[in-house]
mmCIF file of all heavy atoms in Angstrom:
data_model
loop_
_atom_site.group_PDB
_atom_site.id
_atom_site.type_symbol
_atom_site.label_atom_id
_atom_site.label_comp_id
_atom_site.label_asym_id
_atom_site.label_seq_id
_atom_site.Cartn_x
_atom_site.Cartn_y
_atom_site.Cartn_z
ATOM 1 N N GLU D 215 21.966 182.545 -95.565
ATOM 2 C CA GLU D 215 21.072 182.339 -96.690
ATOM 3 C C GLU D 215 19.894 181.508 -96.238
ATOM 4 O O GLU D 215 19.942 180.864 -95.187
ATOM 5 C CB GLU D 215 21.800 181.658 -97.841
ATOM 6 C CG GLU D 215 22.291 180.267 -97.523
ATOM 7 C CD GLU D 215 23.014 179.646 -98.699
ATOM 8 O OE1 GLU D 215 23.594 180.398 -99.487
ATOM 9 O OE2 GLU D 215 22.975 178.418 -98.823
ATOM 10 N N GLU D 233 21.221 178.368 -89.658
ATOM 11 C CA GLU D 233 22.132 178.845 -88.606
ATOM 12 C C GLU D 233 21.387 179.432 -87.417
ATOM 13 O O GLU D 233 21.911 179.495 -86.315
ATOM 14 C CB GLU D 233 23.059 179.919 -89.170
ATOM 15 C CG GLU D 233 24.015 179.412 -90.210
ATOM 16 C CD GLU D 233 24.496 180.560 -91.066
ATOM 17 O OE1 GLU D 233 23.727 180.975 -91.947
ATOM 18 O OE2 GLU D 233 25.616 181.021 -90.847
ATOM 19 N N ARG D 251 13.455 176.471 -82.348
ATOM 20 C CA ARG D 251 14.501 176.372 -81.335
ATOM 21 C C ARG D 251 15.450 175.235 -81.701
ATOM 22 O O ARG D 251 15.047 174.219 -82.253
ATOM 23 C CB ARG D 251 13.898 176.128 -79.958
ATOM 24 C CG ARG D 251 13.231 177.363 -79.393
ATOM 25 C CD ARG D 251 12.794 177.145 -77.956
ATOM 26 N NE ARG D 251 11.673 176.226 -77.856
ATOM 27 C CZ ARG D 251 11.134 175.833 -76.702
ATOM 28 N NH1 ARG D 251 11.629 176.268 -75.571
ATOM 29 N NH2 ARG D 251 10.122 175.008 -76.690
ATOM 30 N N SER D 254 17.592 168.514 -80.582
ATOM 31 C CA SER D 254 17.502 167.217 -81.247
ATOM 32 C C SER D 254 16.252 166.445 -80.874
ATOM 33 O O SER D 254 16.046 165.338 -81.350
ATOM 34 C CB SER D 254 18.732 166.364 -80.887
ATOM 35 O OG SER D 254 19.914 167.053 -81.192
ATOM 36 N N ARG D 299 14.930 158.818 -89.675
ATOM 37 C CA ARG D 299 15.845 158.272 -90.670
ATOM 38 C C ARG D 299 15.597 156.797 -90.930
ATOM 39 O O ARG D 299 15.476 155.997 -90.005
ATOM 40 C CB ARG D 299 17.290 158.481 -90.216
ATOM 41 C CG ARG D 299 18.302 158.125 -91.262
ATOM 42 C CD ARG D 299 19.710 158.341 -90.757
ATOM 43 N NE ARG D 299 20.643 157.912 -91.776
ATOM 44 C CZ ARG D 299 21.011 158.676 -92.800
ATOM 45 N NH1 ARG D 299 20.555 159.886 -92.901
ATOM 46 N NH2 ARG D 299 21.846 158.213 -93.708
ATOM 47 N N LYS D 310 14.417 167.451 -97.824
ATOM 48 C CA LYS D 310 14.995 168.738 -98.211
ATOM 49 C C LYS D 310 13.943 169.711 -98.711
ATOM 50 O O LYS D 310 13.708 170.756 -98.141
ATOM 51 C CB LYS D 310 16.056 168.494 -99.281
ATOM 52 C CG LYS D 310 16.894 169.690 -99.610
ATOM 53 C CD LYS D 310 17.960 169.335 -100.632
ATOM 54 C CE LYS D 310 18.723 170.568 -101.054
ATOM 55 N NZ LYS D 310 19.602 170.304 -102.193
ATOM 56 N N ARG D 325 20.255 160.816 -100.800
ATOM 57 C CA ARG D 325 20.597 159.409 -101.030
ATOM 58 C C ARG D 325 19.779 158.787 -102.168
ATOM 59 O O ARG D 325 19.476 157.595 -102.148
ATOM 60 C CB ARG D 325 20.417 158.608 -99.741
ATOM 61 C CG ARG D 325 21.279 157.363 -99.672
ATOM 62 C CD ARG D 325 21.018 156.600 -98.398
ATOM 63 N NE ARG D 325 21.656 155.311 -98.425
ATOM 64 C CZ ARG D 325 22.878 155.094 -98.019
ATOM 65 N NH1 ARG D 325 23.594 156.084 -97.539
ATOM 66 N NH2 ARG D 325 23.413 153.898 -98.076
ATOM 67 N N SER Y 19 16.032 176.657 -74.493
ATOM 68 C CA SER Y 19 15.178 177.584 -75.216
ATOM 69 C C SER Y 19 15.933 178.804 -75.721
ATOM 70 O O SER Y 19 15.410 179.583 -76.500
ATOM 71 C CB SER Y 19 14.036 178.058 -74.307
ATOM 72 O OG SER Y 19 13.324 176.953 -73.817
ATOM 73 N N GLU Y 32 26.401 170.374 -80.227
ATOM 74 C CA GLU Y 32 25.847 169.471 -79.235
ATOM 75 C C GLU Y 32 26.041 168.047 -79.750
ATOM 76 O O GLU Y 32 25.909 167.787 -80.954
ATOM 77 C CB GLU Y 32 24.367 169.763 -79.051
ATOM 78 C CG GLU Y 32 23.568 169.470 -80.313
ATOM 79 C CD GLU Y 32 22.127 169.925 -80.245
ATOM 80 O OE1 GLU Y 32 21.936 171.137 -80.330
ATOM 81 O OE2 GLU Y 32 21.254 169.073 -80.102
ATOM 82 N N SER Y 66 24.634 158.750 -92.815
ATOM 83 C CA SER Y 66 25.147 157.421 -93.113
ATOM 84 C C SER Y 66 26.611 157.275 -92.726
ATOM 85 O O SER Y 66 27.098 156.179 -92.504
ATOM 86 C CB SER Y 66 25.009 157.134 -94.615
ATOM 87 O OG SER Y 66 23.668 156.980 -94.954
ATOM 88 N N GLU Y 77 25.840 171.189 -97.758
ATOM 89 C CA GLU Y 77 25.414 171.049 -99.148
ATOM 90 C C GLU Y 77 24.632 172.297 -99.539
ATOM 91 O O GLU Y 77 23.775 172.762 -98.782
ATOM 92 C CB GLU Y 77 24.549 169.793 -99.287
ATOM 93 C CG GLU Y 77 23.871 169.670 -100.610
ATOM 94 C CD GLU Y 77 22.403 170.020 -100.537
ATOM 95 O OE1 GLU Y 77 21.903 170.300 -99.432
ATOM 96 O OE2 GLU Y 77 21.765 170.028 -101.577
ATOM 97 N N THR Y 79 24.764 176.207 -102.061
ATOM 98 C CA THR Y 79 25.561 177.191 -102.804
ATOM 99 C C THR Y 79 25.801 178.427 -101.945
ATOM 100 O O THR Y 79 24.896 178.883 -101.254
ATOM 101 C CB THR Y 79 24.824 177.617 -104.086
ATOM 102 O OG1 THR Y 79 24.637 176.466 -104.900
ATOM 103 C CG2 THR Y 79 25.629 178.648 -104.858
ATOM 104 N N HIS Y 83 28.645 176.766 -97.780
ATOM 105 C CA HIS Y 83 28.283 175.558 -98.511
ATOM 106 C C HIS Y 83 29.375 175.162 -99.490
ATOM 107 O O HIS Y 83 29.969 176.014 -100.143
ATOM 108 C CB HIS Y 83 26.962 175.768 -99.233
ATOM 109 C CG HIS Y 83 25.830 176.024 -98.287
ATOM 110 N ND1 HIS Y 83 25.211 177.240 -98.174
ATOM 111 C CD2 HIS Y 83 25.251 175.217 -97.374
ATOM 112 C CE1 HIS Y 83 24.275 177.169 -97.242
ATOM 113 N NE2 HIS Y 83 24.277 175.953 -96.737
ATOM 114 N N ASP Y 129 25.045 159.474 -98.415
ATOM 115 C CA ASP Y 129 23.775 160.187 -98.572
ATOM 116 C C ASP Y 129 23.802 161.123 -99.766
ATOM 117 O O ASP Y 129 22.756 161.542 -100.265
ATOM 118 C CB ASP Y 129 23.454 161.000 -97.314
ATOM 119 C CG ASP Y 129 23.019 160.106 -96.169
ATOM 120 O OD1 ASP Y 129 22.873 158.885 -96.397
ATOM 121 O OD2 ASP Y 129 22.833 160.617 -95.052
ATOM 122 N N ARG Y 236 33.378 183.230 -94.845
ATOM 123 C CA ARG Y 236 32.545 182.246 -95.503
ATOM 124 C C ARG Y 236 31.921 182.753 -96.800
ATOM 125 O O ARG Y 236 31.145 182.051 -97.414
ATOM 126 C CB ARG Y 236 31.427 181.846 -94.565
ATOM 127 C CG ARG Y 236 30.635 183.060 -94.090
ATOM 128 C CD ARG Y 236 29.364 182.681 -93.395
ATOM 129 N NE ARG Y 236 29.583 181.731 -92.313
ATOM 130 C CZ ARG Y 236 28.660 181.462 -91.399
ATOM 131 N NH1 ARG Y 236 27.517 182.074 -91.433
ATOM 132 N NH2 ARG Y 236 28.883 180.579 -90.460
#
Side-chain angles (χ1 to χ4, degrees):
Chain D
E215 64 180 29
E233 294 158 282
R251 287 187 289 178
S254 305
R299 188 180 177 83
K310 190 177 175 189
R325 206 182 170 89
Chain Y
S19 304
E32 65 188 74
S66 290
E77 170 256 357
T79 299
H83 297 110
D129 287 355
R236 55 168 53 166

